[in-house]
Amino acid sequence: MTQPIATSPFENASVTAADASPRTVAVIDIGATSIRMAIAEIYPDGQSRTLETLVQSVELGHEAFDNRRLSRRSIEKSASVLKRYKRVLREYGVTSPKDVRVVATTAVREALNRLAFADRIFVATGFNVDSIDEAEVNRITYMGVMPHLRAHPDLADGKSIVVEVGGGNTEMLIVRGGNVLHSQSFRLGSLRLLKTLEGVRASAVRRRAMLESHIRRTLSQITDAIKRDTAIHLIALGGDMRFAAHQLLDDWDGNSLAEVPTARLAKLTEKLMSLSEDKIVKRYDASFIEAETVGPALLAYTLLAKHFDLPHVYVCDTNLRDGLIHDMAVGGSWTADFRNQIVRSAISLGRKFDFDETHARNVAELSRKLFDQLQDEHQLDSRHEVVLFVAALLHEIGMMVNVRSNHKHALYLIRYSELFGLSRDELLQVGLVARYQRRAYPQPSHEGYGTLPQQERVVVSKLAAILRLAIALDDTRSGRVREINCVADAKHLVINVPGLDDVSLEQMAMRENSGMFRDVFGLPVILRAGKLE
């Protein structure tokens, strides 16, 4: 019988502070059409208050989505904008690099010269640009939107499709009962849509029809990921939908979920699609950034709502910068709820490959206990615990491909999967830990491993060594080893198994599997039965 998806007993991380005074921080979002900065105060209890927001238009998306390169002119303009932002930060007393986070999304991430862009920004400003991927965006989106979903009584039942149509991509989360069922990124964005019309001389009606054709192709992909077995709600994020909500709802406070009737959204979209950018700016007091993208973006939202026959669309004010500020407030730590979402996603992936779920869960739980009790030896943080736990769950999914080389196939399947909440770098770490659960030790010539910086190579080796111990402890695949007690001294690591009188089979497996732990940590491993004296 298939077991219900359960999560690991991760505990919430707490936020502490040396004193009660707020800390002033800033986040800068380098997007496809603009560079935005939010300056905020973070309080010891994790709360924050935005002090100022700035926005400056750029044309990075036009170039990146056209020829996958950023021009020297655009790079220098971006550097100039960030220099001005840095001067503003000095006025607020924000001078430490740890108090500023600069991220770049789709446009910079897709540019072939993204490293040159990041290097130029660093030389000009000292800012380190972090090109975040879809997984990081989804994580921030999830953290921002879930409080709204939980607080809204109408969204407690059914599925919520959380969608943001950006300049380059459309990001989607499918949530039900607080659990993420699916996350995916689609190459559909307002600027990409506009690119399809470049050089086309046609009427407004014909141009709209062309945009609809592109959008509907993506809609078919979205609907393939959504099982229509219950009520569906659409939660729209992004500046374009916030613009629409403010135009259509006189009483929206900008904080709570807005409920926009689909029929009224369709009429506004129709009107905007018939106007030039200059007329949109004048008639709606919009910025040129909004005027350029609002029509195609709203058309995508409207068609999605109509496709599911939804009478209204919920609009949420959550944005990337708010999420980044919250992330800084909690020190980048993952909440227990978010970690458990990652675990749910991993178990779902394991089931697709018909993994031995009972054994996988036992090994994962033993891995977590080893990680916890060996903290003084490995000195790793809570995120690495999640990497180990997921690798333990998925270490045998390659069995479906090939039994003999299942560890290598596990690396490939994990690395190129769509596990919710884990970035590409984190997926590589998970995959490598699973790859080294048996046979060869890490080698520079191995795929993926040799390209890692030394610090990450050491992390992979430490986690893989711990995973091998956990696998040995469940060598009988009976789950009879539940509790362990680890004692490390200068010469040995002793693992005691309370409640069992005979662990001879596990001792044989431990002798075969503990060599990597000895080489990494310098401690031979001894397994003993019975209670610790």
Side-chain angles (χ1 to χ4, degrees), residues 215-232:
I215 293 170
R216 291 188 189 282
R217 281 198 288 269
T218 302
L219 282 179
S220 65
Q221 299 175 45
I222 292 176
T223 52
D224 286 344
I226 301 173
K227 188 177 180 181
R228 300 186 68 171
D229 55 349
T230 185
I232 289 176

PDB file of all heavy atoms in Angstrom, residues 215-232:
ATOM      1  N   ILE A 215       0.224  32.541 -26.328  1.00  0.00           N
ATOM      2  CA  ILE A 215      -0.190  32.303 -24.946  1.00  0.00           C
ATOM      3  C   ILE A 215      -0.901  30.961 -24.820  1.00  0.00           C
ATOM      4  O   ILE A 215      -0.672  30.206 -23.869  1.00  0.00           O
ATOM      5  CB  ILE A 215      -1.100  33.451 -24.460  1.00  0.00           C
ATOM      6  CG1 ILE A 215      -0.295  34.752 -24.364  1.00  0.00           C
ATOM      7  CG2 ILE A 215      -1.705  33.109 -23.096  1.00  0.00           C
ATOM      8  CD1 ILE A 215      -1.146  35.989 -24.130  1.00  0.00           C
ATOM      9  N   ARG A 216      -1.770  30.631 -25.787  1.00  0.00           N
ATOM     10  CA  ARG A 216      -2.535  29.388 -25.696  1.00  0.00           C
ATOM     11  C   ARG A 216      -1.636  28.165 -25.771  1.00  0.00           C
ATOM     12  O   ARG A 216      -1.960  27.116 -25.189  1.00  0.00           O
ATOM     13  CB  ARG A 216      -3.612  29.344 -26.789  1.00  0.00           C
ATOM     14  CG  ARG A 216      -4.726  30.356 -26.569  1.00  0.00           C
ATOM     15  CD  ARG A 216      -5.868  30.170 -27.543  1.00  0.00           C
ATOM     16  NE  ARG A 216      -6.810  31.270 -27.457  1.00  0.00           N
ATOM     17  CZ  ARG A 216      -7.729  31.406 -26.501  1.00  0.00           C
ATOM     18  NH1 ARG A 216      -7.800  30.497 -25.542  1.00  0.00           N
ATOM     19  NH2 ARG A 216      -8.544  32.439 -26.495  1.00  0.00           N
ATOM     20  N   ARG A 217      -0.521  28.258 -26.468  1.00  0.00           N
ATOM     21  CA  ARG A 217       0.411  27.131 -26.494  1.00  0.00           C
ATOM     22  C   ARG A 217       0.953  26.851 -25.099  1.00  0.00           C
ATOM     23  O   ARG A 217       1.122  25.697 -24.699  1.00  0.00           O
ATOM     24  CB  ARG A 217       1.552  27.409 -27.486  1.00  0.00           C
ATOM     25  CG  ARG A 217       1.166  27.183 -28.928  1.00  0.00           C
ATOM     26  CD  ARG A 217       2.391  27.031 -29.803  1.00  0.00           C
ATOM     27  NE  ARG A 217       3.094  28.288 -29.984  1.00  0.00           N
ATOM     28  CZ  ARG A 217       2.864  29.139 -30.974  1.00  0.00           C
ATOM     29  NH1 ARG A 217       1.925  28.866 -31.859  1.00  0.00           N
ATOM     30  NH2 ARG A 217       3.553  30.250 -31.089  1.00  0.00           N
ATOM     31  N   THR A 218       1.238  27.920 -24.362  1.00  0.00           N
ATOM     32  CA  THR A 218       1.703  27.731 -22.987  1.00  0.00           C
ATOM     33  C   THR A 218       0.572  27.290 -22.084  1.00  0.00           C
ATOM     34  O   THR A 218       0.781  26.497 -21.155  1.00  0.00           O
ATOM     35  CB  THR A 218       2.330  29.032 -22.456  1.00  0.00           C
ATOM     36  OG1 THR A 218       3.416  29.412 -23.308  1.00  0.00           O
ATOM     37  CG2 THR A 218       2.856  28.845 -21.043  1.00  0.00           C
ATOM     38  N   LEU A 219      -0.638  27.781 -22.340  1.00  0.00           N
ATOM     39  CA  LEU A 219      -1.791  27.362 -21.533  1.00  0.00           C
ATOM     40  C   LEU A 219      -1.981  25.851 -21.587  1.00  0.00           C
ATOM     41  O   LEU A 219      -2.340  25.224 -20.583  1.00  0.00           O
ATOM     42  CB  LEU A 219      -3.062  28.050 -22.022  1.00  0.00           C
ATOM     43  CG  LEU A 219      -3.281  29.496 -21.600  1.00  0.00           C
ATOM     44  CD1 LEU A 219      -4.585  30.029 -22.186  1.00  0.00           C
ATOM     45  CD2 LEU A 219      -3.306  29.617 -20.091  1.00  0.00           C
ATOM     46  N   SER A 220      -1.732  25.266 -22.742  1.00  0.00           N
ATOM     47  CA  SER A 220      -1.887  23.811 -22.854  1.00  0.00           C
ATOM     48  C   SER A 220      -0.876  23.090 -21.971  1.00  0.00           C
ATOM     49  O   SER A 220      -1.188  22.049 -21.383  1.00  0.00           O
ATOM     50  CB  SER A 220      -1.725  23.366 -24.316  1.00  0.00           C
ATOM     51  OG  SER A 220      -0.400  23.623 -24.778  1.00  0.00           O
ATOM     52  N   GLN A 221       0.332  23.652 -21.836  1.00  0.00           N
ATOM     53  CA  GLN A 221       1.330  23.062 -20.941  1.00  0.00           C
ATOM     54  C   GLN A 221       0.912  23.223 -19.477  1.00  0.00           C
ATOM     55  O   GLN A 221       1.093  22.309 -18.668  1.00  0.00           O
ATOM     56  CB  GLN A 221       2.683  23.727 -21.156  1.00  0.00           C
ATOM     57  CG  GLN A 221       3.251  23.580 -22.557  1.00  0.00           C
ATOM     58  CD  GLN A 221       4.545  24.364 -22.715  1.00  0.00           C
ATOM     59  OE1 GLN A 221       5.421  24.327 -21.856  1.00  0.00           O
ATOM     60  NE2 GLN A 221       4.667  25.083 -23.816  1.00  0.00           N
ATOM     61  N   ILE A 222       0.353  24.387 -19.159  1.00  0.00           N
ATOM     62  CA  ILE A 222      -0.078  24.621 -17.784  1.00  0.00           C
ATOM     63  C   ILE A 222      -1.203  23.673 -17.401  1.00  0.00           C
ATOM     64  O   ILE A 222      -1.196  23.068 -16.324  1.00  0.00           O
ATOM     65  CB  ILE A 222      -0.518  26.090 -17.605  1.00  0.00           C
ATOM     66  CG1 ILE A 222       0.699  27.028 -17.736  1.00  0.00           C
ATOM     67  CG2 ILE A 222      -1.205  26.302 -16.259  1.00  0.00           C
ATOM     68  CD1 ILE A 222       0.349  28.503 -17.679  1.00  0.00           C
ATOM     69  N   THR A 223      -2.173  23.518 -18.274  1.00  0.00           N
ATOM     70  CA  THR A 223      -3.315  22.660 -17.945  1.00  0.00           C
ATOM     71  C   THR A 223      -2.909  21.197 -17.847  1.00  0.00           C
ATOM     72  O   THR A 223      -3.544  20.424 -17.117  1.00  0.00           O
ATOM     73  CB  THR A 223      -4.433  22.822 -18.989  1.00  0.00           C
ATOM     74  OG1 THR A 223      -3.896  22.629 -20.306  1.00  0.00           O
ATOM     75  CG2 THR A 223      -5.032  24.206 -18.910  1.00  0.00           C
ATOM     76  N   ASP A 224      -1.857  20.801 -18.560  1.00  0.00           N
ATOM     77  CA  ASP A 224      -1.368  19.421 -18.443  1.00  0.00           C
ATOM     78  C   ASP A 224      -0.886  19.127 -17.022  1.00  0.00           C
ATOM     79  O   ASP A 224      -0.914  17.974 -16.577  1.00  0.00           O
ATOM     80  CB  ASP A 224      -0.221  19.167 -19.426  1.00  0.00           C
ATOM     81  CG  ASP A 224      -0.709  19.047 -20.867  1.00  0.00           C
ATOM     82  OD1 ASP A 224      -1.920  18.860 -21.061  1.00  0.00           O
ATOM     83  OD2 ASP A 224       0.123  19.156 -21.783  1.00  0.00           O
ATOM     84  N   ALA A 225      -0.422  20.175 -16.315  1.00  0.00           N
ATOM     85  CA  ALA A 225       0.120  19.990 -14.962  1.00  0.00           C
ATOM     86  C   ALA A 225      -0.953  20.098 -13.890  1.00  0.00           C
ATOM     87  O   ALA A 225      -0.672  19.868 -12.718  1.00  0.00           O
ATOM     88  CB  ALA A 225       1.216  21.030 -14.702  1.00  0.00           C
ATOM     89  N   ILE A 226      -2.185  20.437 -14.291  1.00  0.00           N
ATOM     90  CA  ILE A 226      -3.251  20.680 -13.311  1.00  0.00           C
ATOM     91  C   ILE A 226      -4.353  19.638 -13.480  1.00  0.00           C
ATOM     92  O   ILE A 226      -5.019  19.583 -14.513  1.00  0.00           O
ATOM     93  CB  ILE A 226      -3.838  22.092 -13.479  1.00  0.00           C
ATOM     94  CG1 ILE A 226      -2.741  23.146 -13.314  1.00  0.00           C
ATOM     95  CG2 ILE A 226      -4.955  22.330 -12.463  1.00  0.00           C
ATOM     96  CD1 ILE A 226      -3.186  24.546 -13.630  1.00  0.00           C
ATOM     97  N   LYS A 227      -4.550  18.834 -12.466  1.00  0.00           N
ATOM     98  CA  LYS A 227      -5.630  17.852 -12.461  1.00  0.00           C
ATOM     99  C   LYS A 227      -6.898  18.528 -11.958  1.00  0.00           C
ATOM    100  O   LYS A 227      -6.944  19.003 -10.824  1.00  0.00           O
ATOM    101  CB  LYS A 227      -5.249  16.674 -11.559  1.00  0.00           C
ATOM    102  CG  LYS A 227      -6.207  15.510 -11.632  1.00  0.00           C
ATOM    103  CD  LYS A 227      -5.716  14.359 -10.768  1.00  0.00           C
ATOM    104  CE  LYS A 227      -6.680  13.178 -10.846  1.00  0.00           C
ATOM    105  NZ  LYS A 227      -6.213  12.045  -9.988  1.00  0.00           N
ATOM    106  N   ARG A 228      -7.901  18.570 -12.778  1.00  0.00           N
ATOM    107  CA  ARG A 228      -9.129  19.302 -12.441  1.00  0.00           C
ATOM    108  C   ARG A 228     -10.080  18.390 -11.661  1.00  0.00           C
ATOM    109  O   ARG A 228     -11.136  17.981 -12.146  1.00  0.00           O
ATOM    110  CB  ARG A 228      -9.785  19.833 -13.704  1.00  0.00           C
ATOM    111  CG  ARG A 228      -8.887  20.788 -14.487  1.00  0.00           C
ATOM    112  CD  ARG A 228      -9.598  21.424 -15.654  1.00  0.00           C
ATOM    113  NE  ARG A 228     -10.632  22.352 -15.232  1.00  0.00           N
ATOM    114  CZ  ARG A 228     -11.284  23.182 -16.066  1.00  0.00           C
ATOM    115  NH1 ARG A 228     -10.966  23.193 -17.351  1.00  0.00           N
ATOM    116  NH2 ARG A 228     -12.211  23.981 -15.622  1.00  0.00           N
ATOM    117  N   ASP A 229      -9.688  18.080 -10.428  1.00  0.00           N
ATOM    118  CA  ASP A 229     -10.479  17.198  -9.586  1.00  0.00           C
ATOM    119  C   ASP A 229     -11.156  17.936  -8.435  1.00  0.00           C
ATOM    120  O   ASP A 229     -11.793  17.317  -7.581  1.00  0.00           O
ATOM    121  CB  ASP A 229      -9.601  16.080  -9.023  1.00  0.00           C
ATOM    122  CG  ASP A 229      -8.381  16.617  -8.280  1.00  0.00           C
ATOM    123  OD1 ASP A 229      -8.124  17.835  -8.381  1.00  0.00           O
ATOM    124  OD2 ASP A 229      -7.690  15.829  -7.620  1.00  0.00           O
ATOM    125  N   THR A 230     -11.015  19.249  -8.401  1.00  0.00           N
ATOM    126  CA  THR A 230     -11.620  20.043  -7.346  1.00  0.00           C
ATOM    127  C   THR A 230     -11.703  21.491  -7.820  1.00  0.00           C
ATOM    128  O   THR A 230     -11.272  21.815  -8.929  1.00  0.00           O
ATOM    129  CB  THR A 230     -10.784  19.945  -6.050  1.00  0.00           C
ATOM    130  OG1 THR A 230     -11.461  20.628  -4.999  1.00  0.00           O
ATOM    131  CG2 THR A 230      -9.408  20.561  -6.240  1.00  0.00           C
ATOM    132  N   ALA A 231     -12.258  22.348  -6.960  1.00  0.00           N
ATOM    133  CA  ALA A 231     -12.363  23.764  -7.325  1.00  0.00           C
ATOM    134  C   ALA A 231     -10.977  24.365  -7.522  1.00  0.00           C
ATOM    135  O   ALA A 231     -10.014  23.995  -6.846  1.00  0.00           O
ATOM    136  CB  ALA A 231     -13.108  24.513  -6.228  1.00  0.00           C
ATOM    137  N   ILE A 232     -10.885  25.308  -8.457  1.00  0.00           N
ATOM    138  CA  ILE A 232      -9.611  25.941  -8.785  1.00  0.00           C
ATOM    139  C   ILE A 232      -9.723  27.448  -8.556  1.00  0.00           C
ATOM    140  O   ILE A 232     -10.726  28.071  -8.910  1.00  0.00           O
ATOM    141  CB  ILE A 232      -9.216  25.653 -10.246  1.00  0.00           C
ATOM    142  CG1 ILE A 232      -8.822  24.173 -10.402  1.00  0.00           C
ATOM    143  CG2 ILE A 232      -8.062  26.540 -10.693  1.00  0.00           C
ATOM    144  CD1 ILE A 232      -8.517  23.775 -11.824  1.00  0.00           C
TER     145      ILE A 232
END
